[in-house]
Amino acid sequence: MASKVIQAFYNDDDVLMHAVKRVRAAKHHIEEVYTPFPVHGLDKAMGLAPTRIAITSFLYGCVGLTVAILMMNYIMIEDWPQDIGGKPSFSYIENMPAFVPIMFEMTVFFAAHLMVITFYMRSKLWPFKEAENPDVRTTDDHFLMEIELHGNEQELYDLLVDTGAVEINSIEK
């Protein structure tokens, strides 16, 4: 079943923020807001849940640290222990200060790379994916708010005109 959305264009981010707050106060569901640059506080004004990417980053860092510790223990202590500079490798604990830079780098490596992969998967950004931008003006100087229509179209249209929309379109999706 096709749904109908109203697209309201704005040419100022402050006007957009005010409009988002008024539309949400009027109990309309905002599908998406397209902006040419990040607008501070827009996610909170839209009522979006906070991101959990920081939690996943911490967990990925813990995985990287674990891999680094297990890798260095196996390579430098168990598999092929070497006497480097008169310092024998009898145990991991004795040699841990020398391994700190490797542990740090592996933690950062795992956290960064796995976070990027998680972000792309969560955002459904695949290589060679077509852009889903509804209007090219939103990459230059306009802001677009898409609102799903669930009732009186004229009431929503009047609200959007009152909030300062420079153009309003009705689209079947």
mmCIF file of all heavy atoms in Angstrom, residues 106-144:
data_model
loop_
_atom_site.group_PDB
_atom_site.id
_atom_site.type_symbol
_atom_site.label_atom_id
_atom_site.label_comp_id
_atom_site.label_asym_id
_atom_site.label_seq_id
_atom_site.Cartn_x
_atom_site.Cartn_y
_atom_site.Cartn_z
ATOM 1 N N MET A 106 46.187 -2.234 18.695
ATOM 2 C CA MET A 106 45.192 -3.236 18.306
ATOM 3 C C MET A 106 43.807 -2.861 18.823
ATOM 4 O O MET A 106 42.799 -3.105 18.148
ATOM 5 C CB MET A 106 45.596 -4.621 18.810
ATOM 6 C CG MET A 106 46.779 -5.218 18.081
ATOM 7 S SD MET A 106 46.410 -5.649 16.397
ATOM 8 C CE MET A 106 45.520 -7.169 16.634
ATOM 9 N N THR A 107 43.742 -2.263 20.008
ATOM 10 C CA THR A 107 42.457 -1.809 20.546
ATOM 11 C C THR A 107 41.853 -0.744 19.640
ATOM 12 O O THR A 107 40.682 -0.819 19.269
ATOM 13 C CB THR A 107 42.645 -1.250 21.970
ATOM 14 O OG1 THR A 107 43.192 -2.269 22.800
ATOM 15 C CG2 THR A 107 41.340 -0.751 22.549
ATOM 16 N N VAL A 108 42.655 0.238 19.261
ATOM 17 C CA VAL A 108 42.177 1.308 18.379
ATOM 18 C C VAL A 108 41.836 0.758 16.997
ATOM 19 O O VAL A 108 40.813 1.124 16.410
ATOM 20 C CB VAL A 108 43.234 2.433 18.284
ATOM 21 C CG1 VAL A 108 42.864 3.448 17.232
ATOM 22 C CG2 VAL A 108 43.422 3.096 19.641
ATOM 23 N N PHE A 109 42.654 -0.130 16.474
ATOM 24 C CA PHE A 109 42.418 -0.713 15.148
ATOM 25 C C PHE A 109 41.078 -1.443 15.094
ATOM 26 O O PHE A 109 40.267 -1.222 14.196
ATOM 27 C CB PHE A 109 43.564 -1.672 14.794
ATOM 28 C CG PHE A 109 43.410 -2.363 13.476
ATOM 29 C CD1 PHE A 109 43.806 -1.740 12.306
ATOM 30 C CD2 PHE A 109 42.848 -3.631 13.398
ATOM 31 C CE1 PHE A 109 43.665 -2.365 11.086
ATOM 32 C CE2 PHE A 109 42.698 -4.274 12.185
ATOM 33 C CZ PHE A 109 43.103 -3.633 11.016
ATOM 34 N N PHE A 110 40.844 -2.319 16.057
ATOM 35 C CA PHE A 110 39.591 -3.079 16.073
ATOM 36 C C PHE A 110 38.397 -2.162 16.274
ATOM 37 O O PHE A 110 37.371 -2.305 15.597
ATOM 38 C CB PHE A 110 39.627 -4.148 17.172
ATOM 39 C CG PHE A 110 40.166 -5.468 16.716
ATOM 40 C CD1 PHE A 110 41.502 -5.616 16.375
ATOM 41 C CD2 PHE A 110 39.346 -6.566 16.628
ATOM 42 C CE1 PHE A 110 42.011 -6.816 15.956
ATOM 43 C CE2 PHE A 110 39.836 -7.797 16.211
ATOM 44 C CZ PHE A 110 41.177 -7.914 15.868
ATOM 45 N N ALA A 111 38.494 -1.229 17.217
ATOM 46 C CA ALA A 111 37.365 -0.328 17.482
ATOM 47 C C ALA A 111 37.030 0.501 16.247
ATOM 48 O O ALA A 111 35.863 0.604 15.859
ATOM 49 C CB ALA A 111 37.680 0.580 18.665
ATOM 50 N N ALA A 112 38.030 1.065 15.608
ATOM 51 C CA ALA A 112 37.784 1.932 14.458
ATOM 52 C C ALA A 112 37.213 1.156 13.278
ATOM 53 O O ALA A 112 36.192 1.550 12.692
ATOM 54 C CB ALA A 112 39.079 2.639 14.058
ATOM 55 N N HIS A 113 37.848 0.075 12.913
ATOM 56 C CA HIS A 113 37.406 -0.652 11.727
ATOM 57 C C HIS A 113 36.046 -1.313 11.917
ATOM 58 O O HIS A 113 35.186 -1.265 11.038
ATOM 59 C CB HIS A 113 38.464 -1.677 11.311
ATOM 60 C CG HIS A 113 39.642 -1.051 10.656
ATOM 61 N ND1 HIS A 113 40.631 -0.424 11.370
ATOM 62 C CD2 HIS A 113 39.981 -0.934 9.347
ATOM 63 C CE1 HIS A 113 41.531 0.050 10.529
ATOM 64 N NE2 HIS A 113 41.165 -0.255 9.295
ATOM 65 N N LEU A 114 35.837 -1.942 13.048
ATOM 66 C CA LEU A 114 34.551 -2.596 13.276
ATOM 67 C C LEU A 114 33.425 -1.583 13.469
ATOM 68 O O LEU A 114 32.278 -1.844 13.100
ATOM 69 C CB LEU A 114 34.639 -3.553 14.458
ATOM 70 C CG LEU A 114 35.537 -4.772 14.219
ATOM 71 C CD1 LEU A 114 35.665 -5.603 15.479
ATOM 72 C CD2 LEU A 114 35.016 -5.617 13.074
ATOM 73 N N MET A 115 33.740 -0.391 14.007
ATOM 74 C CA MET A 115 32.732 0.654 14.129
ATOM 75 C C MET A 115 32.291 1.149 12.754
ATOM 76 O O MET A 115 31.096 1.378 12.522
ATOM 77 C CB MET A 115 33.296 1.833 14.932
ATOM 78 C CG MET A 115 32.428 2.214 16.071
ATOM 79 S SD MET A 115 33.108 3.473 17.149
ATOM 80 C CE MET A 115 33.918 4.615 16.127
ATOM 81 N N VAL A 116 33.228 1.322 11.851
ATOM 82 C CA VAL A 116 32.879 1.763 10.494
ATOM 83 C C VAL A 116 32.017 0.713 9.804
ATOM 84 O O VAL A 116 31.001 1.029 9.182
ATOM 85 C CB VAL A 116 34.165 2.059 9.672
ATOM 86 C CG1 VAL A 116 33.848 2.220 8.202
ATOM 87 C CG2 VAL A 116 34.849 3.303 10.206
ATOM 88 N N ILE A 117 32.389 -0.548 9.933
ATOM 89 C CA ILE A 117 31.598 -1.624 9.317
ATOM 90 C C ILE A 117 30.197 -1.659 9.928
ATOM 91 O O ILE A 117 29.201 -1.787 9.208
ATOM 92 C CB ILE A 117 32.322 -2.979 9.477
ATOM 93 C CG1 ILE A 117 33.588 -2.993 8.623
ATOM 94 C CG2 ILE A 117 31.410 -4.133 9.109
ATOM 95 C CD1 ILE A 117 34.513 -4.152 8.908
ATOM 96 N N THR A 118 30.100 -1.524 11.237
ATOM 97 C CA THR A 118 28.796 -1.516 11.904
ATOM 98 C C THR A 118 27.959 -0.332 11.444
ATOM 99 O O THR A 118 26.761 -0.471 11.188
ATOM 100 C CB THR A 118 28.973 -1.469 13.433
ATOM 101 O OG1 THR A 118 29.721 -2.598 13.840
ATOM 102 C CG2 THR A 118 27.642 -1.431 14.149
ATOM 103 N N PHE A 119 28.568 0.837 11.320
ATOM 104 C CA PHE A 119 27.842 2.025 10.870
ATOM 105 C C PHE A 119 27.293 1.824 9.467
ATOM 106 O O PHE A 119 26.135 2.136 9.192
ATOM 107 C CB PHE A 119 28.757 3.254 10.913
ATOM 108 C CG PHE A 119 28.117 4.483 10.329
ATOM 109 C CD1 PHE A 119 27.159 5.174 11.042
ATOM 110 C CD2 PHE A 119 28.462 4.932 9.067
ATOM 111 C CE1 PHE A 119 26.550 6.297 10.511
ATOM 112 C CE2 PHE A 119 27.870 6.048 8.527
ATOM 113 C CZ PHE A 119 26.909 6.742 9.251
ATOM 114 N N TYR A 120 28.113 1.309 8.570
ATOM 115 C CA TYR A 120 27.646 1.073 7.197
ATOM 116 C C TYR A 120 26.535 0.036 7.149
ATOM 117 O O TYR A 120 25.568 0.190 6.397
ATOM 118 C CB TYR A 120 28.804 0.643 6.299
ATOM 119 C CG TYR A 120 29.691 1.783 5.880
ATOM 120 C CD1 TYR A 120 31.040 1.587 5.626
ATOM 121 C CD2 TYR A 120 29.195 3.057 5.735
ATOM 122 C CE1 TYR A 120 31.862 2.629 5.243
ATOM 123 C CE2 TYR A 120 29.999 4.109 5.359
ATOM 124 C CZ TYR A 120 31.331 3.892 5.106
ATOM 125 O OH TYR A 120 32.131 4.922 4.725
ATOM 126 N N MET A 121 26.644 -1.020 7.933
ATOM 127 C CA MET A 121 25.597 -2.047 7.942
ATOM 128 C C MET A 121 24.310 -1.496 8.532
ATOM 129 O O MET A 121 23.220 -1.737 8.014
ATOM 130 C CB MET A 121 26.064 -3.272 8.718
ATOM 131 C CG MET A 121 27.125 -4.065 7.998
ATOM 132 S SD MET A 121 27.797 -5.416 8.971
ATOM 133 C CE MET A 121 26.362 -6.339 9.368
ATOM 134 N N ARG A 122 24.418 -0.747 9.616
ATOM 135 C CA ARG A 122 23.228 -0.184 10.278
ATOM 136 C C ARG A 122 22.546 0.854 9.402
ATOM 137 O O ARG A 122 21.326 0.958 9.393
ATOM 138 C CB ARG A 122 23.664 0.434 11.611
ATOM 139 C CG ARG A 122 22.562 1.018 12.413
ATOM 140 C CD ARG A 122 21.770 -0.084 13.095
ATOM 141 N NE ARG A 122 20.788 0.492 13.963
ATOM 142 C CZ ARG A 122 19.487 0.533 13.691
ATOM 143 N NH1 ARG A 122 19.021 0.032 12.591
ATOM 144 N NH2 ARG A 122 18.648 1.082 14.544
ATOM 145 N N SER A 123 23.324 1.619 8.664
ATOM 146 C CA SER A 123 22.778 2.661 7.795
ATOM 147 C C SER A 123 22.388 2.130 6.427
ATOM 148 O O SER A 123 21.887 2.886 5.597
ATOM 149 C CB SER A 123 23.802 3.787 7.623
ATOM 150 O OG SER A 123 24.138 4.328 8.864
ATOM 151 N N LYS A 124 22.681 0.866 6.184
ATOM 152 C CA LYS A 124 22.417 0.233 4.884
ATOM 153 C C LYS A 124 23.127 0.983 3.749
ATOM 154 O O LYS A 124 22.560 1.232 2.693
ATOM 155 C CB LYS A 124 20.917 0.146 4.621
ATOM 156 C CG LYS A 124 20.193 -0.733 5.610
ATOM 157 C CD LYS A 124 18.719 -0.799 5.307
ATOM 158 C CE LYS A 124 18.006 -1.691 6.271
ATOM 159 N NZ LYS A 124 17.657 -1.074 7.522
ATOM 160 N N LEU A 125 24.370 1.351 4.003
ATOM 161 C CA LEU A 125 25.199 2.014 2.997
ATOM 162 C C LEU A 125 26.135 0.981 2.388
ATOM 163 O O LEU A 125 27.169 0.653 2.958
ATOM 164 C CB LEU A 125 26.024 3.144 3.631
ATOM 165 C CG LEU A 125 25.228 4.332 4.131
ATOM 166 C CD1 LEU A 125 26.144 5.289 4.880
ATOM 167 C CD2 LEU A 125 24.549 5.040 2.994
ATOM 168 N N TRP A 126 25.750 0.440 1.267
ATOM 169 C CA TRP A 126 26.536 -0.583 0.589
ATOM 170 C C TRP A 126 27.281 0.045 -0.572
ATOM 171 O O TRP A 126 26.872 1.076 -1.098
ATOM 172 C CB TRP A 126 25.625 -1.701 0.077
ATOM 173 C CG TRP A 126 24.646 -2.168 1.084
ATOM 174 C CD1 TRP A 126 23.297 -2.023 1.037
ATOM 175 C CD2 TRP A 126 24.911 -2.826 2.321
ATOM 176 N NE1 TRP A 126 22.712 -2.555 2.151
ATOM 177 C CE2 TRP A 126 23.677 -3.055 2.954
ATOM 178 C CE3 TRP A 126 26.069 -3.248 2.958
ATOM 179 C CZ2 TRP A 126 23.572 -3.684 4.185
ATOM 180 C CZ3 TRP A 126 25.960 -3.878 4.182
ATOM 181 C CH2 TRP A 126 24.734 -4.090 4.783
ATOM 182 N N PRO A 127 28.372 -0.574 -1.026
ATOM 183 C CA PRO A 127 29.069 -0.048 -2.203
ATOM 184 C C PRO A 127 28.129 -0.035 -3.415
ATOM 185 O O PRO A 127 27.329 -0.946 -3.616
ATOM 186 C CB PRO A 127 30.215 -1.042 -2.422
ATOM 187 C CG PRO A 127 30.425 -1.678 -1.086
ATOM 188 C CD PRO A 127 29.078 -1.706 -0.425
ATOM 189 N N PHE A 128 28.214 1.008 -4.189
ATOM 190 C CA PHE A 128 27.443 1.207 -5.417
ATOM 191 C C PHE A 128 25.939 1.342 -5.168
ATOM 192 O O PHE A 128 25.138 1.123 -6.063
ATOM 193 C CB PHE A 128 27.708 0.075 -6.428
ATOM 194 C CG PHE A 128 29.166 -0.187 -6.649
ATOM 195 C CD1 PHE A 128 29.763 -1.345 -6.178
ATOM 196 C CD2 PHE A 128 29.955 0.751 -7.289
ATOM 197 C CE1 PHE A 128 31.120 -1.571 -6.358
ATOM 198 C CE2 PHE A 128 31.301 0.542 -7.475
ATOM 199 C CZ PHE A 128 31.883 -0.629 -7.022
ATOM 200 N N LYS A 129 25.551 1.728 -3.968
ATOM 201 C CA LYS A 129 24.137 1.914 -3.665
ATOM 202 C C LYS A 129 23.669 3.255 -4.223
ATOM 203 O O LYS A 129 24.375 4.261 -4.132
ATOM 204 C CB LYS A 129 23.920 1.880 -2.151
ATOM 205 C CG LYS A 129 22.474 2.004 -1.775
ATOM 206 C CD LYS A 129 22.289 1.954 -0.287
ATOM 207 C CE LYS A 129 20.812 1.989 -0.001
ATOM 208 N NZ LYS A 129 20.457 2.952 0.979
ATOM 209 N N GLU A 130 22.477 3.249 -4.789
ATOM 210 C CA GLU A 130 21.899 4.481 -5.313
ATOM 211 C C GLU A 130 21.537 5.420 -4.154
ATOM 212 O O GLU A 130 21.083 4.977 -3.098
ATOM 213 C CB GLU A 130 20.638 4.170 -6.115
ATOM 214 C CG GLU A 130 20.901 3.509 -7.442
ATOM 215 C CD GLU A 130 21.574 4.429 -8.447
ATOM 216 O OE1 GLU A 130 21.234 5.636 -8.484
ATOM 217 O OE2 GLU A 130 22.460 3.953 -9.162
ATOM 218 N N ALA A 131 21.700 6.710 -4.385
ATOM 219 C CA ALA A 131 21.362 7.694 -3.368
ATOM 220 C C ALA A 131 19.851 7.743 -3.160
ATOM 221 O O ALA A 131 19.089 7.581 -4.106
ATOM 222 C CB ALA A 131 21.877 9.066 -3.773
ATOM 223 N N GLU A 132 19.431 7.946 -1.925
ATOM 224 C CA GLU A 132 18.012 8.006 -1.602
ATOM 225 C C GLU A 132 17.559 9.437 -1.335
ATOM 226 O O GLU A 132 16.518 9.653 -0.722
ATOM 227 C CB GLU A 132 17.724 7.136 -0.382
ATOM 228 C CG GLU A 132 17.968 5.677 -0.615
ATOM 229 C CD GLU A 132 17.734 4.845 0.634
ATOM 230 O OE1 GLU A 132 17.328 5.414 1.671
ATOM 231 O OE2 GLU A 132 17.965 3.638 0.564
ATOM 232 N N ASN A 133 18.314 10.395 -1.772
ATOM 233 C CA ASN A 133 18.002 11.788 -1.550
ATOM 234 C C ASN A 133 16.819 12.192 -2.440
ATOM 235 O O ASN A 133 16.889 12.065 -3.651
ATOM 236 C CB ASN A 133 19.235 12.635 -1.875
ATOM 237 C CG ASN A 133 19.121 14.025 -1.345
ATOM 238 O OD1 ASN A 133 18.122 14.395 -0.766
ATOM 239 N ND2 ASN A 133 20.163 14.806 -1.535
ATOM 240 N N PRO A 134 15.727 12.686 -1.861
ATOM 241 C CA PRO A 134 14.549 12.986 -2.671
ATOM 242 C C PRO A 134 14.674 14.237 -3.537
ATOM 243 O O PRO A 134 13.946 14.383 -4.511
ATOM 244 C CB PRO A 134 13.441 13.164 -1.631
ATOM 245 C CG PRO A 134 14.151 13.575 -0.401
ATOM 246 C CD PRO A 134 15.500 12.913 -0.449
ATOM 247 N N ASP A 135 15.573 15.131 -3.209
ATOM 248 C CA ASP A 135 15.715 16.370 -3.977
ATOM 249 C C ASP A 135 17.170 16.830 -3.902
ATOM 250 O O ASP A 135 17.745 16.881 -2.822
ATOM 251 C CB ASP A 135 14.795 17.451 -3.407
ATOM 252 C CG ASP A 135 14.632 18.633 -4.339
ATOM 253 O OD1 ASP A 135 15.652 19.293 -4.627
ATOM 254 O OD2 ASP A 135 13.498 18.886 -4.775
ATOM 255 N N VAL A 136 17.746 17.181 -5.042
ATOM 256 C CA VAL A 136 19.167 17.557 -5.069
ATOM 257 C C VAL A 136 19.441 18.879 -4.360
ATOM 258 O O VAL A 136 20.572 19.139 -3.963
ATOM 259 C CB VAL A 136 19.706 17.623 -6.520
ATOM 260 C CG1 VAL A 136 19.698 16.245 -7.147
ATOM 261 C CG2 VAL A 136 18.917 18.601 -7.354
ATOM 262 N N ARG A 137 18.433 19.695 -4.164
ATOM 263 C CA ARG A 137 18.640 20.973 -3.472
ATOM 264 C C ARG A 137 19.042 20.771 -2.014
ATOM 265 O O ARG A 137 19.647 21.654 -1.410
ATOM 266 C CB ARG A 137 17.381 21.831 -3.543
ATOM 267 C CG ARG A 137 17.068 22.309 -4.948
ATOM 268 C CD ARG A 137 15.816 23.114 -4.985
ATOM 269 N NE ARG A 137 14.681 22.237 -4.740
ATOM 270 C CZ ARG A 137 13.430 22.660 -4.598
ATOM 271 N NH1 ARG A 137 13.158 23.937 -4.635
ATOM 272 N NH2 ARG A 137 12.457 21.805 -4.390
ATOM 273 N N THR A 138 18.732 19.605 -1.440
ATOM 274 C CA THR A 138 19.098 19.361 -0.041
ATOM 275 C C THR A 138 20.590 19.100 0.129
ATOM 276 O O THR A 138 21.059 19.017 1.255
ATOM 277 C CB THR A 138 18.306 18.171 0.536
ATOM 278 O OG1 THR A 138 18.604 17.010 -0.217
ATOM 279 C CG2 THR A 138 16.822 18.455 0.531
ATOM 280 N N THR A 139 21.320 18.943 -0.962
ATOM 281 C CA THR A 139 22.776 18.808 -0.860
ATOM 282 C C THR A 139 23.464 20.159 -1.026
ATOM 283 O O THR A 139 24.677 20.249 -0.896
ATOM 284 C CB THR A 139 23.313 17.849 -1.931
ATOM 285 O OG1 THR A 139 23.020 18.372 -3.222
ATOM 286 C CG2 THR A 139 22.703 16.473 -1.776
ATOM 287 N N ASP A 140 22.684 21.195 -1.301
ATOM 288 C CA ASP A 140 23.265 22.512 -1.542
ATOM 289 C C ASP A 140 22.844 23.533 -0.483
ATOM 290 O O ASP A 140 23.645 23.939 0.346
ATOM 291 C CB ASP A 140 22.869 22.988 -2.938
ATOM 292 C CG ASP A 140 23.550 24.265 -3.347
ATOM 293 O OD1 ASP A 140 24.612 24.566 -2.785
ATOM 294 O OD2 ASP A 140 23.015 24.981 -4.207
ATOM 295 N N ASP A 141 21.572 23.944 -0.510
ATOM 296 C CA ASP A 141 21.173 25.040 0.364
ATOM 297 C C ASP A 141 19.762 24.937 0.932
ATOM 298 O O ASP A 141 19.281 25.870 1.543
ATOM 299 C CB ASP A 141 21.311 26.370 -0.383
ATOM 300 C CG ASP A 141 20.406 26.460 -1.592
ATOM 301 O OD1 ASP A 141 19.854 25.422 -2.006
ATOM 302 O OD2 ASP A 141 20.246 27.568 -2.133
ATOM 303 N N HIS A 142 19.071 23.821 0.733
ATOM 304 C CA HIS A 142 17.711 23.680 1.244
ATOM 305 C C HIS A 142 17.630 22.528 2.258
ATOM 306 O O HIS A 142 18.430 21.597 2.219
ATOM 307 C CB HIS A 142 16.721 23.412 0.106
ATOM 308 C CG HIS A 142 16.296 24.657 -0.603
ATOM 309 N ND1 HIS A 142 17.123 25.358 -1.445
ATOM 310 C CD2 HIS A 142 15.113 25.331 -0.591
ATOM 311 C CE1 HIS A 142 16.486 26.401 -1.925
ATOM 312 N NE2 HIS A 142 15.255 26.413 -1.421
ATOM 313 N N PHE A 143 16.647 22.624 3.114
ATOM 314 C CA PHE A 143 16.366 21.597 4.113
ATOM 315 C C PHE A 143 14.998 21.022 3.790
ATOM 316 O O PHE A 143 14.078 21.771 3.466
ATOM 317 C CB PHE A 143 16.352 22.212 5.518
ATOM 318 C CG PHE A 143 17.622 22.925 5.861
ATOM 319 C CD1 PHE A 143 17.815 24.249 5.508
ATOM 320 C CD2 PHE A 143 18.633 22.269 6.536
ATOM 321 C CE1 PHE A 143 18.983 24.900 5.817
ATOM 322 C CE2 PHE A 143 19.808 22.923 6.857
ATOM 323 C CZ PHE A 143 19.987 24.239 6.494
ATOM 324 N N LEU A 144 14.860 19.708 3.880
ATOM 325 C CA LEU A 144 13.597 19.058 3.537
ATOM 326 C C LEU A 144 13.118 18.216 4.700
ATOM 327 O O LEU A 144 13.887 17.436 5.265
ATOM 328 C CB LEU A 144 13.774 18.172 2.301
ATOM 329 C CG LEU A 144 12.536 17.444 1.851
ATOM 330 C CD1 LEU A 144 12.299 17.723 0.375
ATOM 331 C CD2 LEU A 144 12.708 15.967 2.037
#
